[in-house]
Amino acid sequence: METIVASIWSSFRRVPPAAIPAMMDCILAATAVSPSSLFSDLANEFPNLIKVIEQESEMVESEWRNCVLTYVAALSHFLKKSGTHHMHTFVWKVWIPLLKLTHTFDYELFNEVTSLFLDVIIGTDSWEVLEETVVPLMLRSIGQSMGVLKNAELAIYNWSDHTIFEGSIDKELSSKSFDNSRRKLTEKYIPTDFSVSNSYDFPLSMSCNTLTLTLDAALRNKHEGVVPGSTSTNGSQAILFAGNMLWDLCNLSLQMLSQSFEHRSSAIKFLLPFIFKSFVYNHSFQVAAPGTPRVLTRKEFFMKIWNCCKLLFSLGSLERRDAYDILSLYLSSSSTDEPEDVSGREEINELKSDQGFWDEIKRGLLDKENSVRKHSLYILKTTLTLSNEGKCFSGVLEEVADESGSESRMIGKKGRWADKEAQSLGVGKICNQNESNFTGWHRWEAFFFLYEMLEEYGTHLVEAAWNHQIMLWLRSLFSSESSINSVNEELYRNQMGTADQIFQWLAILWERGFCHDNPQVRCLVMQSFLAVEWENYGGCLKLVPKDFIIGPLIRGLNDPVHHKEFGVKEVYSSSIIKAAARFMCQYASYMKERQHVSFLIDLSSVPKSHSFGRAGLICLVECIASAACGNSRHNYHDINEFIHATDGILVESAPNSCQIDRADLLDVLRFVLECGKQHFNPKYRLRVCEKILAAAASMMTGSDVPLEILFHFISGVPREYTDHGGSLRYAVQKWLRGPNMQLLKAIDGFPSNFISNQHPLDSSLFTYDDEELEAWGSEAKRWARVLFLVAEGREHFDPVLKFIQDQGDEVCKQKNYSELVAVKFLILISSLVEELQVIQERTAICRVTKKMDRELVRSLVDNPSFTEESIIFDKFAVVLFSFLEELVSFAKLSCSVFWSGVITEDMMLPSSIRGKLGGPSQRRLSSSLCTSVVEAITCIKTLAYVMRWCEQFRTDVLTNSAQTFLWKFCWKTITTPAPKSEVEAEICLASYEACAYALKDLGFVFSPLSLNLVTSTNKSFPSETDGKSMLDVFVSAFIYNIDNVIDGGQLARTRRAVLINSKWSCLESLLSLPNYALRNGVHRITCKSFFSDTTVTRIFGDLVGSLENAGEVSILPMLRSVRFIMELFHSKEMDLSISSSSGVTIEMMWLLVRSSWILHINCNKRRVAPIAALLSSLLHYSVFGQGHMHESNNVPGPLKWFVEKILEEGTKSPRTIRLAALHLCGLWLAYPNTLKYYIKELKLLTFYGSVAFDEDFEAELAENCDARTEISVLSRSLDPELVDVFINTELYARVSVAVLFSKLADMAGLEESTNRKEENISIIASGKMFLLELLDCVVNDKDLSKELYKKYSAIHRRKVRAWQMICSLSRFVDLSIVEQVTSCLHTSIYRNNLPSVRQYLETFAIYIYLKFPSLVDQQLVPVLRNYEMRPQALSSYVFIAANVILHAKNETQFGHLDELLPPIVPLMTSHHHTLRGFTQILVYQVLQKLLDSNSSAASMSLERRCFMDLRYYLAHNSDCAR
């Protein structure tokens, strides 16, 4: 027996599996051995098979695969011979272990092995073996992978270990035999995740595949095993097995679809295809379920699948994609193609009756994933069964196609080719339909044709078919000739039966076109949509879905590809924008008022969920304005006629019927305004504001909405457009005032409502903090702005003035008023004064610049700011002055909290402070104390504002008393002893904050009288006659005391930063006093004596030591203080009678620039004000003219070091380098002797190029007062007109340098001056030095000397910039350097360069030879006779020579003609066509100008007659003329 088995085993590698049955039969016949014994012996050889698999790498692949297959085939054959009593042994000992091993290596081998075993099952009808072993084992493996440890209640096959091994014949095989046989292979061949918990856990894909193969085998046996005429069949067991197994697999697949992605994928890939296939011919199965028998039907299972799909649709993108896969799988396997399949049609009809199905199909058709769109389209087509039913209409289609064939031949070449392409796809006939036959089925055919066309990338089909089909669709909507052409037409009218439904599907096509991958297709679809003449299609326009317009259409209009002409020549519009606005106007004209407002709210809310580009936002606001204006904006006569014919769609609603909606509308319009602020181009922002204001004015008046909403909206409009001189001021005023000035009444009532709003029952318990104070202040400022926009004459201010006058005395005296009312009143007053100051400043600017449009001035002639502002200002001053004394008294009372001394150490801080992390710094005081402190600060701030305003119109005892109080308050603050606790420190901090407000406004009104008040109110101040610096004591005490508070350690870190900021704000105000005093009439000598040398030096050292660690908010005050210190040093240095100071030394300057540079690199470089302040403070005019500050002993000085650093950093910051160029060029013009130190920096500015625009820069100048102030302090611009044009472009740096040297040349008088001053000599030397440096650079630089470079490359741009600057420096060429210049010039001309570079070389050369005529004969003539030169260089020299002849002075012109024309003429016959044509043109120009055509031929010489004929030939020959 062993010999037989060994022989059989050795043959397994070479014998094919198909020959095994015959071979085994021969062995059985020859040896008389029983099949049972041979099976047992071969089964014991399984370890040898394991060795074969182990040695797989040493064998040919086909050998070990054949060995496995023949081994299994032999065992299977013996099983068929011996019966089923060895079946369990085979399953547990061979087949299951082998399945795991083969599946690991080869999926195909796994299927073949499984098929061999299933053939045995079919042949022996041993389905009970699978029921007892394989099926429960695989189900258990899948169940455990899902975490289902127990059987489902309705499961037929149990999953427990006991039931699996219960039917095993050999109980020893249950676990140990399998484990022992595979232990050696587990580590090498079985992945670890397969055997983590149990030896019988199979991979998920393997379990599913095994089950599906088993089910398929049972179904095949069921259909193949039926014997006709017999009541008992050998397939009956297979039928029962298949039904039971199908029941469990259906339940299992439903569970798997709700699990992870891996389980869903396995269910979709393995289980569902075979389950659906099972239902193809049998729509129901009998199932032996626990309890009563059940029937499993296809319809029942499909509805469960559909419910599962609906759940998947509501989840993520992966789940939705799987749901579409499941539906496609079901529909592809169903038998709905057959007419007798009634059950299948019922399921499809139930599916179509579910609106959720259509919604998901529409979503899928618009999905971003291509696979999802294809599945959705397939599902839709299959559901409609279009392919078969279309045969009913083929005759009509062909007939129509034949009739319209002549029309097809008339289209253009591209159209005919596209039509032919469509015919090749089988859908071209749809292009030729007419509306009379455009029924429901035709619409679906057209829909699929257009949709599939959009799935292609090309444009030819869209160009040929899109417009025709869309127009045909629209014309057919209300056509009376449209009728049902088939008994099945109602089927196709499903979801395509009504106009609303049709437009839903049209919207899908349009949306798909708007997001197409091909930009040309997107343009074609958008143009087609907006080109529809909706007035020709009845009321179709109102059927366009609102969601489509607000969503896909607006997002599509945001695509830049539609707006190619947008922004050209600062025209912010396009043809698409105009068409979209026209469409919106038509669409909105069909709406009732409430619908209209709701639509505008939804349309204006789109930016909240979708970001817009420049063109997209303009398009949106145009659409909003057009939709808001409706018919009044566009003259659409046809639409108006249609509106009157409709059934009362447009009716006038009752007044104020939708006030809440209008408030919501105005609020979202404000959001659109805020979106416009992200784009900082002034004209662009103006366009956005114009349209939004037009929309608001069309929908409501100012009195239709609550004041709060209106105030917020107006605050969203940039002030430069609504203040005096603003382009939108008149439009805003007209809208707000309305016909009857109704809004003014509400505005007049605001103050009383404001101060009494939310008035608590017990005012003593009411507290507030800085955040609430800021909110109230913002509200009051918004009111003040609107008040001065609405008020038209002086009488309109009377109610507000009366309220202030009536309430002022009583509030300040605290008669029957709480602290809350008082502080709100003070906020109201300060907001009014701030607005008055802004109006005053803007009015002054408008009068100075005189840039206002005449029509605008005429419309504003009645405005207070132009004819009555002085009266209005004075009236406010009188009212404020009336309670100034009471306000001072109230301030004294409020400020007592700073020095009361009644402070408890254990005050409980509010929970909002104790539990707060991050955010703005808050006062660490109890609520009641915080309220008192905030009230005191507000009182000082308001008093300072009022005092400053009143001082402009009246100076008397009351204003003096206010100044006196404020100075005393400041003095008392800075002389208060250092705090000993945190609470005292917080109160001290608050007093310094109030002091900062006071000093700021005291500086504005500082006058000789103020000086007397300061010295007379406090004996500590020295008088002018004492010979001491009058403010030394004040400043010294201030610095000493505030430093003690800062360093005392009582304040928290964040609070200490606030105090430091107050310190520098106060110090800035104190240092600015000499400037204000000088402006207000104080003698210059007195102003210079305000501070001693010691104090100024001390402040300078304090500033330098603090700059490195300065906070963001302290940067500007500190840098301004530096600038004031530099001015003080300069003034003292210039007047030795009051000071012996030597000014700023180089050591001091080194300390300043190094600490300032550390500050700069740590701060926000994108802000204009800090950069400008840094430049004006360090590069100060007082030190820039000193040579040792720039260079000493060939070592860079502090200023040169700083300039190098700032320009190096500017190469990465366009804003920095532009501001640096602005300031430096002004300083270089003022101090030309410093230019020689900065040749390298000038070259850097010349070659600089970066982003084209910095719109943020203009926005900061428009909105940030600090930025405007600091820009104005920079050195005066060389040319204000050029600054306006170029400051916001990358050209500005090199334009500034070019203008600088042009003005320097004018200053030096290069053309006529011979007696040159020392300054002129330095200018000329610097100009020549810079010119030679640039020429050396273009000749010898590695990049600039290259001859091969691409157009618009970095090298190309740098070459152009270099030669542009060289041309601007040509005036500095003189006899001393002309040889060097021409040498470099000839080298550059000889090299290959692009025409845009050569034009500058030629221009420079022409200027040189015109300036130095003697060089023509010495250099130019020999060069022109060098005929071996490159044709490109010769062309340049011919151009230079021709222009020298044409533009030379009269005394040298004919001499140049005699010298230059002879060597040029031969070049007219050059073989090089470019050189030849170029020479002919130039010679013609010379002869045309210099030869007199009126001379007679007899008086002319032979040479002259030759030239005359040559000129005639060049002028009239067709080739030359061309």
Side-chain angles (χ1 to χ4, degrees), residues 74 273 347 446 620 693 698 751 873 880 1023 1061 1158 1290 1300 1390 1507:
E347 296 160 17
L620 176 66
L693 286 170
S698 300
F873 293 163
L880 295 173
S1023 64
N1061 180 51
I1158 294 174
E1290 56 98 17
L1300 167 66
Y1390 189 76
F1507 280 120

Side-chain angles (χ1 to χ4, degrees), residues 336-349:
T336 55
D337 294 341
E338 299 184 9
E340 64 273 10
D341 185 15
V342 179
S343 176
R345 289 186 179 276
E346 290 179 358
E347 296 160 17
I348 297 299
N349 289 335

Side-chain angles (χ1 to χ4, degrees), residues 998-1006 1069 1072-1073 1076-1077 1079-1080:
L999 288 174
K1000 181 179 180 181
D1001 286 311
L1002 283 171
F1004 278 100
V1005 299
F1006 199 77
S1069 300
S1072 66
L1073 286 177
Y1076 286 118
R1079 189 179 64 185
N1080 293 332

Side-chain angles (χ1 to χ4, degrees), residues 146-166:
M146 295 189 295
V148 181
L149 302 179
K150 294 183 180 181
N151 307 48
E153 293 181 0
L154 298 179
I156 295 174
Y157 299 106
N158 294 322
W159 300 349
S160 63
D161 292 339
H162 174 72
T163 55
I164 293 175
F165 296 111
E166 192 177 43

